[in-house]
Amino acid sequence: MGSDNSSSSGLTPRSRTPANKSLAALVACFILFLIFANSTHQTLQSPPSSSPPSAISNDALQTEMNALTAEKSSLLRNIDVMQTEKKSIYKNLRAGPEPTTGGDESAPPPVTPPVTPPTPPTPPTPPTPPTPPKPPSPDLILNPSSGPLKLYTPPSSPSIVDFPCPLRDDPDPTSCKLECEDEGCTRAEKVCETYVECTHLVFDGEGDMKGKMVTLKHEIIKEDLSILNSAFTKWSNVMSKSIKPRTYVIISYGGSGSKMLAGWISDLPKSSVVKVKHMHDPNPPPVMRTFNRPLREATHNGDFRDRHIPGGLFSKDTELIPKGEYDDFRYVYIFKDPVEGLVSRHGHGHCEHVGGECGRIESFPTLDGYASGGKDLYHLSDFFDRWTTPDSNREYPILAINYHKIWDNVPSIVEALGLPPQYAQSFPKRTETVRNNKTGEKEGHNNHSEDVREKLRGIYKGVRDKIFTMPAMTIV
């Protein structure tokens, strides 16, 4: 009976509860009672048999039947009560959570919502590289007794010296004198900021400065290069300060004093110098190899700038030099402000030598046109970075020399080159070829102008910032 009601209610079969079990037991007892009562009733109404008559009287049987009928009515009422309770139980079960077992096997499987993959964490923003410090503004050396416009060189400051510059307007090759274009000579201050060497402006007059000369001066700063000792220690198996004959390999991107340095070394006694090579290769080789036989040998003209020194690109298939012989060589990278380097060495042939994007010679631009293009087609920035950046795959050290700081530190540079200290006395004096607005006008072009230089400074700002802050020597 209980199971029939469950089916008719449309409920999904569930596991038995204690209430269901009690109800089933009562129903079973009632069924047994009905069977027993019916059997007794049939016995009482059956015709007399051949057996002996019962000793029980009719009145007693009637009394017993009445009692059974009353008990039956009571049981039926109890069944009605239990049915009501059963319906209440099922109603509560419907409102409760679904059981973990059982269920209609024909029902569709539950739909699993799609899993949204977690959003990958945003990578941290790389720190902004520090901006190289801007070179300090030049000091204006004032004569206190003559007013703010009179500048002079104090005799008590012998460390403040002249230096030559390509923009000079005075024929003196040892100084950097500029003609003022306005009463405050803003031109001199602006030019001074573009030179690594310039630390002071000196004016030897009074009043209005227009049309007069201001001298750019340099304060000698001898660097403490003892820091290089740790670099020598790092490379001690392939580099030493010992004085012995060596082959010197001078590398540059042109217009950087490489011919001056290579020419001076090639003139030194053979007891100190085996050979000198002059390379323009933008890629430092990972190992040392022997050099190809030069097409022609070095020349020894009086002016270093007019000399031929064999070089070019490094060989990639010649015989390897044993690592134990690396100290017999010095690889020296000398660098200079690329702006002045290009004013000195711009040309299609030179562009090809340093691995630039040169195009056809017929369409190669003038320096003015190149500067206006705003792109480093020579790839001088990459050239500089490759020769001044440590590389774990390279098996030998590079001695990087900052051209602008050589003459303050000649003895230390001579020592790092592995040359006798007395050779410092013969180191060349600094010279600069004049290239300015006037020379450009005479040659019929604008390539040497300060306007062109300003455009080039925009292209090579990154390299120039590094050069301003780098020491006289670095071992890479």
Side-chain angles (χ1 to χ4, degrees):
M1 293 174 62
S3 60
D4 290 342
N5 286 338
S6 175
S7 298
S8 63
S9 66
L11 293 175
T12 302
R14 303 175 186 270
S15 59
R16 291 185 178 272
T17 63
N20 288 343
K21 292 179 180 180
S22 300
L23 180 61
L26 290 173
V27 171
C29 292
F30 178 69
I31 292 172
L32 290 174
F33 171 77
L34 290 180
I35 294 172
F36 172 77
N38 185 52
S39 174
T40 305
H41 180 70
Q42 289 178 355
T43 303
L44 291 175
Q45 293 183 354
S46 60
S49 62
S50 58
S51 59
S54 173
I56 302 175
S57 66
N58 289 336
D59 292 337
L61 289 174
Q62 187 62 42
T63 301
E64 186 175 351
M65 284 296 297
N66 292 338
L68 289 173
T69 300
E71 186 175 352
K72 176 181 176 182
S73 299
S74 176
L75 286 172
L76 289 174
R77 286 193 299 273
N78 290 337
I79 289 175
D80 290 338
V81 172
M82 286 188 289
Q83 289 285 14
T84 301
E85 291 178 354
K86 175 183 174 183
K87 291 179 180 179
S88 176
I89 291 171
Y90 276 116
K91 182 177 180 181
N92 292 335
L93 287 175
R94 283 195 191 97
E98 291 292 328
T100 56
T101 59
D104 187 357
E105 295 182 358
S106 64
V111 178
T112 304
V115 178
T116 303
T119 303
T122 303
T125 303
T128 303
T131 303
K134 184 180 179 181
S137 299
D139 295 328
L140 300 180
I141 307 176
L142 306 179
N143 183 342
S145 62
S146 304
L149 293 180
K150 184 171 182 180
L151 312 177
Y152 75 113
T153 304
S156 60
S157 301
S159 62
I160 299 176
V161 299
D162 283 312
F163 71 95
C165 70
L167 280 173
R168 64 182 181 270
D169 296 317
D170 188 272
D172 181 1
T174 65
S175 66
C176 183
K177 294 183 179 181
L178 301 180
E179 183 177 351
C180 297
E181 298 175 344
D182 54 44
E183 62 180 13
C185 207
T186 55
R187 176 196 176 210
E189 187 171 355
K190 182 178 179 181
V191 170
C192 183
E193 290 178 351
T194 67
Y195 283 134
V196 177
E197 299 86 345
C198 185
T199 56
H200 295 76
L201 297 174
V202 177
F203 177 49
D204 294 325
E206 293 187 33
D208 190 347
M209 302 170 73
K210 186 175 182 179
K212 299 176 183 178
M213 293 288 186
V214 165
T215 305
L216 279 60
K217 294 277 188 176
H218 167 66
E219 183 174 6
I220 296 174
I221 301 176
K222 294 186 181 297
E223 298 179 6
D224 179 10
L225 297 176
S226 61
I227 191 173
L228 294 180
N229 292 334
S230 60
F232 272 99
T233 301
K234 173 185 175 182
W235 293 100
S236 59
N237 60 327
V238 292
M239 185 183 194
S240 72
K241 292 183 181 180
S242 62
I243 298 173
K244 63 178 182 178
R246 286 185 173 89
T247 294
Y248 289 87
V249 184
I250 312 300
I251 306 103
S252 82
Y253 47 52
S256 303
S258 54
K259 276 195 171 183
M260 175 272 297
L261 182 61
W264 171 68
I265 294 176
S266 66
D267 283 350
L268 295 176
K270 297 301 180 184
S271 58
S272 299
V273 179
V274 178
K275 288 183 180 179
V276 178
K277 299 292 183 181
H278 185 211
M279 315 300 286
H280 290 305
D281 198 322
N283 300 300
V287 295
M288 290 187 183
R289 292 182 179 273
T290 56
F291 293 88
N292 289 318
R293 183 178 180 83
L295 298 177
R296 59 191 179 108
E297 295 298 329
T299 60
H300 295 270
N301 302 350
D303 191 330
F304 298 133
R305 291 167 291 189
D306 296 333
R307 293 187 180 186
H308 168 73
I309 301 174
L313 301 178
F314 288 97
S315 303
K316 296 182 179 180
D317 55 1
T318 56
E319 184 180 354
L320 289 171
I321 295 173
K323 199 169 183 178
E325 298 178 11
Y326 277 12
D327 190 38
D328 295 338
F329 295 80
R330 274 288 192 274
Y331 277 53
V332 182
Y333 174 59
I334 183 170
F335 55 88
K336 184 182 182 180
D337 181 352
V339 172
E340 294 301 331
L342 283 180
V343 171
S344 170
R345 294 285 293 164
H346 176 69
H348 185 270
H350 181 63
C351 178
E352 289 185 329
H353 290 164
V354 298
E357 296 178 54
C358 311
R360 296 174 59 85
I361 189 171
E362 297 84 1
S363 58
F364 193 71
T366 64
L367 185 58
D368 188 2
Y370 176 86
S372 298
K375 294 182 179 179
D376 178 18
L377 299 180
Y378 277 89
H379 296 171
L380 300 187
S381 299
D382 292 338
F383 195 121
F384 176 89
D385 287 341
R386 291 190 187 111
W387 282 98
T388 58
T389 303
D391 182 356
S392 59
N393 294 321
R394 180 167 34 82
E395 296 183 354
Y396 59 91
I398 297 167
L399 179 62
I401 296 180
N402 190 335
Y403 173 90
H404 302 278
K405 301 179 180 181
I406 289 177
W407 284 271
D408 289 355
N409 301 278
V410 171
S412 297
I413 291 174
V414 169
E415 179 185 5
L417 290 170
L419 294 169
Q422 63 269 25
Y423 288 179
Q425 301 299 321
S426 67
F427 197 84
K429 302 298 181 184
R430 181 175 179 179
T431 61
E432 297 287 347
T433 302
V434 177
R435 294 184 177 91
N436 56 23
N437 292 358
K438 295 177 181 178
T439 60
E441 290 173 2
K442 289 180 181 179
E443 297 174 7
H445 58 71
N446 193 41
N447 294 339
H448 299 166
S449 69
E450 292 172 42
D451 178 61
V452 168
R453 283 176 163 89
E454 186 64 27
K455 293 176 183 176
L456 291 173
R457 290 186 196 107
I459 298 175
Y460 295 105
K461 181 182 184 304
V463 175
R464 296 184 74 253
D465 287 344
K466 295 173 185 177
I467 291 174
F468 265 70
T469 58
M470 287 183 70
M473 283 189 299
T474 308
I475 296 177
V476 185

